Amino acid sequence: MLFALICKDKPGSLQLRIDTRPAHAAFLEGLIGEGKLAFAGPFLNADGKPDGSLVMIDAPDMAGAQALAAADPYAKAGLFESVEIRAWNWVFQKPAGA
């Protein structure tokens, strides 16, 4: 089942995001290798700077999605002000094999 991780950065945390990005990217690459990442990317503020994330993961249930969200280096570093996890159904423009 797909889950959307809708993550909002804490105000003034851009440097923490930049510093933690290599570990976060490696974490996402690992999810790709395990077939657990559908897509991901940052939300951008009015200045075009990242201020949050949308991460779409495949997990067996809400508990699994929560565990993956907690394992993200961004979450471990305390980057996020909030993380909303919502089940999601991919209906239109779904890539073949997704």
Side-chain angles (χ1 to χ4, degrees), residues 7 16-17 31-32 37 41 47-49 55 58 64-65 72 74 81-82 86 89-90:
C7 311
L16 178 59
R17 174 179 274 275
L31 293 182
I32 291 169
L37 181 68
D47 296 325
K49 304 290 185 191
V55 182
D58 190 357
D72 186 328
Y74 278 168
E81 177 178 85
S82 64
R86 301 204 46 192
N89 183 25
W90 199 334

Side-chain angles (χ1 to χ4, degrees), residues 3-10 17 43 52-55 57 62 65-72 74-76 78-86:
F3 290 88
L5 311 181
I6 304 163
C7 311
K8 181 178 178 183
D9 292 2
K10 291 177 181 172
R17 174 179 274 275
F43 290 111
S53 298
L54 173 61
V55 182
I57 58 171
M62 180 60 78
Q66 291 168 333
L68 284 176
D72 186 328
Y74 278 168
K76 289 181 174 183
L79 175 65
F80 300 133
E81 177 178 85
S82 64
V83 177
E84 181 180 4
I85 303 174
R86 301 204 46 192

Side-chain angles (χ1 to χ4, degrees), residues 94-98:
K94 183 177 180 178

